[in-house]
């Protein structure tokens, strides 16, 4: 395969050129074992393009709502002092979701056909520049970036847009764009139409490429996901008002790991890896300047003890 001199886990910082490993559980492991035994016997699903955004802000007291007792009952939100230099906004997915139910994730979702037809004004690096960083075509790069901004707006209300003269969009309304967010989520209003109506420009320069993960070929639901990072714009707030999530909160990466280790949070490997990189940041500016973690390609592998793990090349 290759030498594994730079092998790390999802709890380690990764970079292009390393190999990443992580354990998997049934039934994912069983399907992976079947795939290894006879790849032709397992239908390989074409991954759907998706975009996810790590929304960050300077650490400060926030409502922390993810505390449950031994019976799974949610306790009252508590205010805690800042524990680190950067907070990230996260959502707990509903238990009814087909993909990673109950997991705590960053805002994001699958690319929609309408994202490829975006006709709004564009600011920041052009799709050709983004395509070089993302290792894809300009058309795809633009559609993925539109999906990132749209999904962030739908799930948190945060709008990465400005007026033509550069003044950032501000949510001065009490309903936090509720009607528009619902209409865009239902596709009765296109994201580009909304921006044009408000006289706003999509700002691609407010997004920073963090990593790129493709779901292993052995899994039944697959995504080709680009992870981005964005700073919370001044004058806006995030609320997590989406039908796909049951809770939302700001949290520091290290606090997320502590909650995960104590069994309060369910985190999946791409989320853990991106949180680990973010934990290195000493400020929001530092977080925005973090280097690209790489393109991660997980592949099921049988280990020496006979168990199944994911071995990921990072390029």
């Amino acid at each position: 395969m290759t030498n594994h001199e730079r092998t790390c886990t999802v709890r380690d910082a990764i970079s292009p050129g390393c190999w990443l490993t992580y354990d998997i559980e049934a039934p994912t492991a069983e399907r992976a074992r079947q795939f290894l035994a006879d790849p032709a016997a397992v239908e390989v699903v074409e991954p759907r393009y998706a975009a996810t955004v790590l929304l960050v802000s300077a650490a400060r007291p926030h409502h922390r709502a993810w505390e449950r007792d031994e019976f799974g009952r949610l306790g009252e939100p508590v205010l805690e002092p800042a524990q680190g230099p950067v907070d990230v906004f996260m959502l707990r997915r509903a238990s009814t979701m087909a993909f990673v139910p109950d997991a705590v994730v960053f805002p994001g979702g699958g690319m929609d056909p309408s994202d490829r037809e975006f006709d709004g004004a564009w600011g920041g690096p052009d799709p050709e520049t983004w395509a070089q960083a993302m290792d894809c075509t300009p058309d795809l790069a633009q559609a993925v970036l539109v999906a990132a901004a749209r999904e962030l707006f739908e799930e948190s209300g945060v709008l990465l847009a400005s007026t033509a003269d550069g003044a950032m969009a501000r949510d001065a309304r009490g309903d936090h764009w509720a009607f528009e967010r619902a209409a865009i989520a239902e596709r009765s209003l296109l994201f580009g139409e909304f921006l044009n109506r408000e006289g706003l420009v999509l700002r691609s320069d407010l997004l920073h490429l963090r990593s790129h993960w493709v779901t292993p070929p052995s899994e039944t639901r697959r995504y080709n996901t680009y992870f981005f990072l964005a700073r919370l714009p001044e004058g806006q707030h995030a609320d997590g008002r989406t039908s796909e999530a049951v809770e939302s909160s700001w949290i520091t990466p290290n606090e997320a790991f502590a909650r995960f280790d104590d069994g309060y949070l369910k985190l999946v490997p791409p989320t853990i890896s991106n949180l680990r990189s973010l934990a290195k940041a000493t400020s929001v500016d530092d977080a925005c300047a973090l280097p690209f973690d790489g393109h991660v390609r997980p592949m099921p592998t049988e280990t020496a003890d006979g168990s199944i793990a994911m071995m990921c090349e990072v390029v």
Side-chain angles (χ1 to χ4, degrees):
M1 185 179 298
T2 185
N3 69 67
H4 297 163
E5 293 179 359
R6 295 184 58 202
T7 299
C8 44
T9 73
V10 289
R11 295 294 286 263
D12 300 320
I14 65 171
S15 61
C18 75
W19 283 79
L20 170 68
T21 64
Y22 62 87
D23 295 329
I24 53 177
E25 300 176 352
T28 302
E30 182 57 34
R31 183 174 171 87
R33 192 179 296 278
Q34 295 173 4
F35 175 82
L36 289 174
D38 184 5
V42 176
E43 179 186 0
V44 177
V45 179
E46 185 69 21
R48 179 186 178 187
Y49 284 104
T52 297
V53 181
L54 285 70
L55 182 68
V56 298
S57 176
R60 57 183 181 276
H62 288 297
H63 281 284
R64 314 288 185 175
W66 293 324
E67 290 291 350
R68 295 175 183 270
D69 62 17
E70 60 182 308
F71 303 105
R73 294 175 298 197
L74 182 66
E76 291 296 319
V78 294
L79 275 176
E80 296 180 356
Q83 296 184 10
V86 180
D87 272 10
V88 62
F89 184 73
M90 301 189 76
L91 308 158
R92 188 194 297 272
R93 288 171 62 83
S95 60
T96 55
M97 299 300 293
F99 186 69
V100 291
D102 298 312
V104 174
V105 299
F106 311 115
M111 190 176 76
D112 188 78
S114 65
D115 297 325
R116 290 187 178 272
E117 302 166 3
F118 179 76
D119 62 353
W122 184 276
D126 58 29
E128 288 75 15
T129 301
W130 275 104
Q132 294 179 19
M134 296 167 63
D135 192 25
C136 65
T137 66
D139 287 348
L140 178 58
Q142 175 172 311
V144 170
L145 286 159
V146 171
R150 174 185 56 75
E151 285 284 344
L152 179 64
F153 182 57
E154 288 180 18
E155 297 192 349
S156 74
V158 171
L159 189 55
L160 302 180
S162 71
T163 60
D165 61 5
M168 286 301 302
R170 302 177 72 91
D171 177 31
R173 292 170 17 185
D175 65 359
H176 201 197
W177 301 106
F179 174 81
E180 291 84 353
R181 289 166 61 186
I184 291 170
E186 296 167 357
R187 305 299 181 260
S188 59
L189 174 65
L190 296 181
F191 189 45
E193 291 177 354
F194 163 67
L195 293 177
N196 290 338
R197 189 182 70 188
E198 299 294 327
L200 296 173
V201 177
L202 178 64
R203 293 282 299 277
S204 75
D205 57 322
L206 300 181
L207 289 164
H208 308 272
L209 185 62
R210 290 296 314 119
S211 64
H212 176 208
W213 287 67
V214 180
T215 310
S218 56
E219 297 194 19
T220 55
R221 287 180 177 270
R222 301 185 66 211
Y223 290 91
N224 191 328
T225 307
Y226 287 90
F227 288 80
F228 300 92
L229 181 144
R231 181 197 307 263
L232 177 67
E234 185 177 352
Q236 297 191 43
H237 70 282
D239 67 6
R241 184 187 298 165
T242 170
S243 61
E244 296 185 0
V246 294
E247 300 177 63
S248 65
S249 183
W250 291 91
I251 191 169
T252 66
N254 287 332
E255 183 184 357
F257 287 130
R259 299 289 191 267
F260 171 66
D261 292 337
D262 290 341
Y264 288 114
L265 270 66
K266 175 182 176 181
L267 301 175
V268 294
T271 304
I272 295 171
S273 181
N274 278 281
L275 279 172
R276 172 52 60 205
S277 293
L278 185 59
K280 298 185 298 182
T282 58
S283 67
V284 172
D285 286 342
D286 191 29
C288 292
L290 288 171
F292 177 53
D293 277 353
H295 305 274
V296 184
R297 302 289 185 270
M299 184 64 68
T301 305
E302 185 171 2
T303 63
D305 63 4
S307 62
I308 302 296
M310 288 297 168
M311 177 66 75
C312 315
E313 182 180 12
V314 183
V315 297

